Amino acid sequence: MSSDSLVADQTDHAGDEIAVTAAGALPWRLNSSDKDQLEVLLIHRPRYDDWSWPKGKLDPGETIPECATREVAEEIGLSAPLGIPLPPIHYHVPAGLKIVHYWAVRVNGAMLVPDGQEVDSVMWCSPEKAARLLTNPSDVGPLEHLVSAHARGELETWPLVIVRHAKAKPRSSWTKAEGDRPLAATGMRQAQAVGRLLQAWKPLRIVSSPWLRCVATIAPYAKASDAKVKLDDALTEHRHGRRPHKTAAVVEGLFDKQRAVALCTHRPALPTVFAQLGEHMGSRLRGLLPDTDPFLAPGEIVVCHVAHGSKEKIVAVERFRPFDD
């Protein structure tokens, strides 16, 4: 598992080993009477008598985004896609150094139901009030980044997810059509893990190469979510090799609807995919896209957060490897 967020932690903990990893989110909304007024949600935990953000520790075998979405669902009853990544915070607990990864999560009129045990009440308030009420001073850092992103028009985003298909059976042991080469046993487990991880962003559209190893990679998520799947020959290895501009056009077309979408393709097509995505981001972010072969490991994903209302603006990128054995 790996997470490469484009938000860097500024605290110096050089040499400190992380003892506890946790994840959560900063729920936010725009005031119903004043759409420019940002509000955030604080939770109260009776066990500690504190005000904080929904968060919790990583379960065994769980990725960090999965942990964040699970904890938000458990603590306040909200099932919503993760938005932009926010700066992680570090602080010491009895076990040692603790890191908490945060994302912004928009609440669009959903009814929130605190679990009653870990969270006994919630409060919507202005960011200024939240900064005063937060018990842990470190929790102010992610809040400041969220407020700054809102001011820049980079808080309201939708996710564009790139997936490299999971591990396939070796070419050397396959004598039939290349498009029919299936996933290996490891690849089938990776596909299940990809399906769980994609739930963190909930894409309702999937564009994929029609070759079996890509279709099998996205199948668990598609079945679990009822996502609409479109198969496009331009994403196959062979078609990309002959007409890479057609592959680039498919990537460009993902921006048209400005809705959450995932694309699944093959290693040889990834340079073209990332080059096209690079046209929609500044040089700093572009420099963080994978740029050397094999670009992504089998089953690995890149999440691009695209600002709403701007086809030209990817404002954050993340990278995750959900399963490896």
Side-chain angles (χ1 to χ4, degrees), residues 6-29:
L6 301 189
V7 178
D9 174 46
Q10 300 299 319
T11 309
D12 183 10
H13 294 283
D16 289 359
E17 183 177 349
I18 294 173
V20 180
T21 299
L26 275 61
W28 66 274
R29 70 182 184 186

Side-chain angles (χ1 to χ4, degrees), residues 38-282:
L38 179 67
E39 295 180 327
V40 294
L41 183 90
L42 296 179
I43 64 168
H44 183 264
R45 301 185 299 173
R47 179 181 176 184
Y48 303 102
D49 189 24
D50 68 354
W51 289 99
S52 64
W53 310 116
K55 65 179 182 296
K57 290 187 289 188
L58 211 64
D59 281 347
E62 189 176 46
T63 62
I64 294 171
E66 289 174 80
C67 175
T69 54
R70 175 182 56 77
E71 287 291 340
V72 170
E74 290 178 356
E75 294 194 344
I76 61 174
L78 176 65
S79 177
L82 299 180
I84 60 170
L86 302 171
I89 66 171
H90 296 79
Y91 54 94
H92 283 89
V93 295
L97 183 64
K98 180 174 182 177
I99 182 172
V100 186
H101 298 267
Y102 281 116
W103 283 265
V105 169
R106 184 170 189 179
V107 180
N108 270 326
M111 181 177 294
L112 304 181
V113 184
D115 72 351
Q117 184 173 357
E118 291 190 48
V119 178
D120 61 355
S121 64
V122 299
M123 177 193 302
W124 283 107
C125 60
S126 69
E128 294 78 14
K129 183 175 181 179
R132 294 194 300 269
L133 289 176
L134 284 166
T135 304
N136 184 349
S138 298
D139 278 335
V140 176
L143 174 62
E144 291 176 340
H145 189 90
L146 184 144
V147 172
S148 177
H150 175 60
R152 297 191 306 269
E154 297 180 359
L155 182 57
E156 293 187 67
T157 61
W158 56 273
L160 190 163
V161 185
I162 304 300
V163 184
R164 180 184 171 186
H165 69 72
K167 185 175 179 61
K169 288 190 175 181
R171 296 178 193 267
S172 59
S173 64
W174 186 252
T175 59
K176 299 179 182 179
E178 181 63 15
D180 294 333
R181 184 155 59 95
L183 295 181
T186 294
M188 289 187 284
R189 294 192 294 273
Q190 287 174 336
Q192 294 292 331
V194 168
R196 293 190 297 270
L197 181 55
L198 287 178
Q199 293 288 348
W201 297 278
K202 305 184 189 307
L204 293 180
R205 293 190 298 144
I206 301 174
V207 181
S208 174
S209 160
W211 285 8
L212 179 58
R213 51 192 180 272
C214 283
V215 173
T217 297
I218 54 92
Y221 175 76
K223 292 176 181 177
S225 65
D226 291 326
K228 182 179 179 180
V229 178
K230 178 182 178 181
L231 303 181
D232 198 313
D233 286 335
L235 296 175
T236 64
E237 286 187 32
H238 288 173
R239 189 64 62 87
H240 171 264
R242 294 194 299 269
R243 297 178 179 176
H245 67 282
K246 294 287 188 181
T247 307
V250 173
V251 177
E252 187 64 24
L254 301 179
F255 291 86
D256 290 343
K257 295 184 178 180
Q258 298 197 36
R259 290 186 300 174
V261 61
L263 178 145
C264 185
T265 189
H266 309 261
R267 178 193 57 77
L270 290 175
T272 297
V273 170
F274 290 132
Q276 192 62 36
L277 292 174
E279 297 294 320
H280 293 266
M281 63 183 72

